[in-house]
Amino acid sequence: MLKFVYEDRVTCRMSVRAILFDVQSVIYERPAVGVALQTLLDHYVLKPRHPRVVQNALRAAQFDANLGRISLDEFYNAELRIHGFADSTVLSAGREALRFDAGRLMMPSGTASALRHLHQTEIAVGALANSPYSSADEIAWLSRIGIPPEVWRVYLCSSEVSLTAPDPLMIDMAVRQFGVPHNTVALVSRDPSFLESAADLGLTPVAFRPAEPIGAARGTIDQIGQLLTMLAAQ
């Protein structure tokens, strides 16, 4: 059993020793069209395609990039061509723009301070990301917006492990890197499939701002800062 003191100075005991976050649904998001890409589009008098059009057209390329099957340059070129870029010189500038925009992450208010507080407890913190980028890239980008690299005990990106979450193998890999039993790990996501996989593996699933009730969830939070209190009440 883990003993910790949370913000109201009430000492609690709980069985959770590690927390995994589905980072793209809980910790950060990116704008549909980043500032650098928009600047390039404006320069060439092009309008950005609707995000849903881009998402549908890139579905296969995104999947392959997330698994590391194609390079970032190939993935970027596919996206740029959807927006109307074709010239090799322009594609080169476009890849630089997309790379710049990739690091411009946005977080819900209070997220960074809540994660820093978690790090001060004895609870290990980890992340799962379906991402074409490396864990080093993502950790560096998050550090720019207030989450120190040392917060993360585990950070798995799909492109580095050739698995995409919520594949149980990827979740299991993260738990094993924590070095704690599965039943002492909580997983936080707003994606029902993540939470169902977590429940199947014996983790404690926590829903974050779900659009509708999720049967697999053991609890629901609207802010990361509510997590310790919710888990202590389990």
Side-chain angles (χ1 to χ4, degrees), residues 202-222:
L203 281 62
T204 299
V206 179
F208 179 79
R209 299 180 183 176
E212 56 187 30
I214 299 174
R218 290 273 299 277
T220 299
I221 59 171
D222 294 317

Side-chain angles (χ1 to χ4, degrees), residues 14 39 81 87 116 139 141 205-206 212 217-218 231:
M14 60 186 290
T39 300
R81 289 188 176 106
D87 180 83
R116 291 195 301 269
I139 289 169
W141 293 332
V206 179
E212 56 187 30
R218 290 273 299 277
L231 291 171

